Amino acid sequence: MDELPSAGAGHNDVIRKKIDLAVSARNLARASNNTRWDALINYFRNQKEWRPSYRTKLVTGDISGWDVEWFYHLPFPFAIVEWFDIGLQQNVRPKGRLLPPTSINHTDEISRVIKEIGFEFEVRGDVLRIWGYLPKSYEDFPPA
């Protein structure tokens, strides 16, 4: 998967200045780095059965919609990510038409991986939030 974009993809002087201006104006401190983001990306790219949904908020204020594509739709470069939400529930199609749909909760597995990578994170409801910058923003995060 070396030909796939990494966390630093798309990084150039124009983007760096945009990020630096937003971070400085909002007095943010970096809580992550490309090594951690790459570990996260590669973990989910290597999953065969299921990849969770995610969404992001950029330091410029933009919040993405939920997506499930872990190869090219990610917010490159990751230096612009203020927070990164991961959905923890996998919807499973029923084996028959008369059976109700079910879901699998991946909270423990994903939390363990995120902790091993070394991210600052929190789980609320069925969402895990990783902070790319501090102070922590709880904007549009499920209530505690």
Side-chain angles (χ1 to χ4, degrees):
M1 287 197 195
D2 290 339
E3 67 280 355
L4 293 171
S6 65
H11 199 101
N12 60 41
D13 289 340
V14 172
I15 298 292
R16 177 81 256 158
K17 285 181 183 180
K18 182 178 179 179
I19 294 168
D20 288 345
L21 282 171
V23 167
S24 178
R26 298 182 51 217
N27 201 26
L28 298 174
R30 195 162 211 181
S32 191
N33 59 43
N34 284 345
T35 302
R36 289 180 183 152
W37 289 122
D38 280 335
L40 173 82
I41 294 165
N42 290 330
Y43 176 79
F44 287 114
R45 283 178 174 168
N46 287 317
Q47 298 306 299
K48 302 295 181 216
E49 299 298 317
W50 175 74
R51 290 183 189 96
S53 58
Y54 66 87
R55 69 178 182 155
T56 60
K57 179 181 180 194
L58 307 182
V59 294
T60 55
D62 300 320
I63 298 176
S64 73
W66 287 94
D67 200 342
V68 294
E69 201 280 334
W70 283 83
F71 296 92
Y72 298 99
H73 293 183
L74 295 164
F76 302 113
F78 267 74
I80 202 166
V81 175
E82 181 175 347
W83 51 253
F84 190 94
D85 284 349
I86 299 174
L88 300 170
Q89 297 292 326
Q90 175 186 0
N91 295 324
V92 179
R93 289 188 175 146
K95 302 250 186 237
R97 287 200 254 176
L98 300 177
L99 297 173
T102 59
S103 65
I104 300 171
N105 185 321
H106 291 276
T107 302
D108 292 341
E109 170 199 351
I110 294 175
S111 295
R112 178 186 49 77
V113 169
I114 301 305
K115 185 175 183 177
E116 287 173 6
I117 292 171
F119 282 113
E120 181 72 27
F121 75 97
E122 191 170 322
V123 174
R124 287 190 181 176
D126 62 352
V127 176
L128 181 145
R129 176 164 291 176
I130 297 169
W131 281 280
Y133 288 89
L134 301 173
K136 296 175 181 178
S137 167
Y138 290 92
E139 176 183 7
D140 203 21
F141 197 35

